[in-house]
């Protein structure tokens, strides 16, 4: 009798422990995604400040070049294409990860990284070209605001690529488990967020910049 | 091979909660719709500006509207935002950010625009402007 009681009590305890385990397992996961979202929102405010700076200084040429003279729109369109394509390839990586297909996830992540690197290469090419012409951030208020805004975005993309490569090593080592999927989701939010910021950059800085 | 085995091992009902979670975000349809809409919403502004279809003043507002729509498209189809995600707190954080963003942007543009409009002529033309500046401070 006492044996049975003990077993029942043990079973109940076991159930309690496992339900507590599930609760504990569930909440931090939500917490991470929400916390990361709040980080992205604070990052959004940094970009808001940089956009506001550009809005104020964007036409202060100080006798230097205007946007219409230095912006190469076909190059910007190509760059926008790279970033947009990298967004959907990251989406494909997430879909592959949901199906637990590690090989395909890694492949799509690699393609995303290469597209991100192409974007960075073109941006650095544009920067070095401008600086070579003598139109560096010191030349005018417009160029200071331009380099600060576009440079900050480029720095985010750089760190995104570093994160992406790190994650590919982690996936290679541990496969698609709960923790790695959570990391993939966070990087997904980060990557898509950078594309959202780029919409603002190409519209407000480049397209409106070349308008008289 | 060992990678496949590893991935499969996790799918064997041991981590049911993970399985549920893995299916929570997005679908092929979502990403495809989002991508096609984004391409259209990107191509049109570039086309408008590069081929000078409209007057510059009009173009400015039209492409800003296109950008706003594309941001919403990205939010819905790529970031999978809806009023239910993370118990509504995602949306709350987003709304707060939008409010702050609008204050920062419109506030800066409004104030600085009026600084340029109001102060420069006084500083250049008016001899009593020094007195006026002190009054302002």
């Amino acid at each position: 009798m006492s044996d049975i009681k003990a077993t029942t009590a043990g079973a109940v305890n076991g159930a309690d422990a496992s339900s507590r385990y599930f609760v504990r397992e569930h909440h931090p996961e939500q917490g991470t995604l929400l916390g990361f979202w709040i980080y992205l929102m604070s990052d959004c405010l940094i970009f808001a400040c940089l956009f506001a700076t550009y809005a104020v200084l964007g036409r202060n040429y100080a006798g230097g070049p205007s946007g219409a003279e230095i912006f190469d729109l076909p190059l910007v369109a190509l760059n926008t294409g790279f970033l947009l394509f990298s967004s959907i390839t990251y989406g494909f990586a997430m879909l592959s990860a949901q199906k637990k297909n590690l090989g395909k996830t890694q492949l799509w992540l690699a393609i995303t990284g290469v597209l991100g690197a192409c974007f960075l290469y073109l941006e650095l090419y544009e920067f070095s070209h401008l600086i070579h012409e003598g139109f560096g951030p010191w030349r005018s208020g417009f160029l200071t605001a331009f380099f600060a805004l576009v440079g900050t975005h480029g720095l985010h993309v750089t760190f995104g690529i570093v994160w992406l490569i790190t994650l590919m090593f982690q996936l290679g080592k541990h496969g698609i488990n709960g923790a790695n999927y959570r990391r993939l989701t966070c990087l997904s939010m980060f990557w898509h967020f950078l594309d959202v910021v780029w919409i603002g950059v190409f519209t407000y800085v480049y397209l409106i910049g070349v308008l008289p | 091979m060992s990678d496949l085995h590893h991935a499969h091992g996790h799918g064997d009902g041991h981590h049911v909660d993970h399985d549920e979670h893995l299916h929570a975000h997005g679908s092929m349809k979502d990403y495809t719709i989002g991508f096609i809409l984004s391409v259209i919403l990107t191509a049109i502004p570039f086309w408008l500006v590069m081929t000078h279809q409209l007057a510059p003043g009009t173009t400015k507002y039209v492409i800003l509207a296109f950008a706003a729509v594309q941001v919403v498209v990205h939010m819905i189809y790529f970031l999978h935002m809806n009023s239910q995600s993370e118990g509504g707190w995602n949306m709350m954080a987003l709304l707060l950010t939008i409010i702050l963003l609008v204050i920062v942007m419109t506030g800066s543009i409004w104030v600085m625009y009026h600084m340029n409009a109001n102060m420069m002529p006084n500083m250049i033309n008016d001899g009593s402007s020094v007195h006026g500046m002190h009054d302002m401070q």
Side-chain angles (χ1 to χ4, degrees), chain A residues 55-76:
Chain A
V56 171
L57 297 175
R59 302 271 164 172
N60 295 5
Y61 302 127
S66 69
E69 286 159 353
I70 56 170
F71 293 153
D72 184 6
L73 282 191
L75 196 78
V76 179

Side-chain angles (χ1 to χ4, degrees), chain A residues 13-63:
Chain A
N13 275 344
D16 272 352
S18 85
S19 71
R20 241 182 289 143
Y21 170 78
F22 278 123
V23 169
R24 253 191 292 158
E25 182 72 17
H26 198 54
H27 273 286
E29 206 150 67
Q30 283 216 337
T32 305
L33 295 185
L34 178 57
F36 194 75
W37 180 254
I38 288 171
Y39 153 69
L40 285 182
M41 292 298 99
S42 69
D43 220 13
C44 197
L45 291 180
I46 292 178
F47 280 108
C49 294
L50 290 169
F51 270 108
T53 311
Y54 184 83
V56 171
L57 297 175
R59 302 271 164 172
N60 295 5
Y61 302 127

Side-chain angles (χ1 to χ4, degrees), chain A residues 26-149:
Chain A
H26 198 54
H27 273 286
E29 206 150 67
Q30 283 216 337
T32 305
L33 295 185
L34 178 57
F36 194 75
W37 180 254
I38 288 171
Y39 153 69
L40 285 182
M41 292 298 99
S42 69
D43 220 13
C44 197
L45 291 180
I46 292 178
F47 280 108
C49 294
L50 290 169
F51 270 108
T53 311
Y54 184 83
V56 171
L57 297 175
R59 302 271 164 172
N60 295 5
Y61 302 127
S66 69
E69 286 159 353
I70 56 170
F71 293 153
D72 184 6
L73 282 191
L75 196 78
V76 179
L78 184 63
N79 234 356
T80 307
F82 280 141
L83 213 55
L84 196 54
F85 265 106
S86 82
S87 250
I88 192 165
T89 55
Y90 199 101
F92 291 154
M94 288 302 289
L95 294 176
S96 308
Q98 279 167 25
K99 290 179 192 140
K100 305 246 179 200
N101 190 332
L102 183 65
K104 264 190 157 179
T105 307
Q106 295 278 46
L107 177 69
W108 284 120
L109 282 180
I111 294 172
T112 307
V114 169
L115 287 170
C118 289
F119 171 86
L120 266 186
Y121 172 77
L122 277 190
E123 194 164 290
L124 287 174
Y125 166 77
E126 187 192 19
F127 279 6
S128 68
H129 184 70
L130 284 177
I131 290 169
H132 184 72
E133 300 271 306
F135 304 145
W138 57 85
R139 182 62 189 83
S140 63
F142 153 63
L143 283 166
T144 308
F146 166 79
F147 272 91
L149 174 56

Side-chain angles (χ1 to χ4, degrees), chain A residues 113-205:
Chain A
V114 169
L115 287 170
C118 289
F119 171 86
L120 266 186
Y121 172 77
L122 277 190
E123 194 164 290
L124 287 174
Y125 166 77
E126 187 192 19
F127 279 6
S128 68
H129 184 70
L130 284 177
I131 290 169
H132 184 72
E133 300 271 306
F135 304 145
W138 57 85
R139 182 62 189 83
S140 63
F142 153 63
L143 283 166
T144 308
F146 166 79
F147 272 91
L149 174 56
V150 181
T152 306
H153 180 269
L155 214 55
H156 275 76
V157 176
T158 310
F159 281 107
I161 292 172
V162 171
W163 186 2
L164 189 131
I165 292 167
T166 315
L167 203 46
M168 284 178 73
F169 276 104
Q170 279 180 310
L171 280 170
K173 200 160 181 194
H174 303 294
I176 301 169
N177 54 24
N180 271 345
Y181 186 74
R182 189 181 65 231
R183 289 166 190 144
L184 273 173
T185 311
C186 283
L187 182 56
S188 161
M189 285 155 74
F190 186 73
W191 201 260
H192 293 313
F193 167 76
L194 289 184
D195 206 2
V196 171
V197 173
W198 185 253
I199 297 170
V201 173
F202 82 71
T203 303
Y204 197 68
V205 175

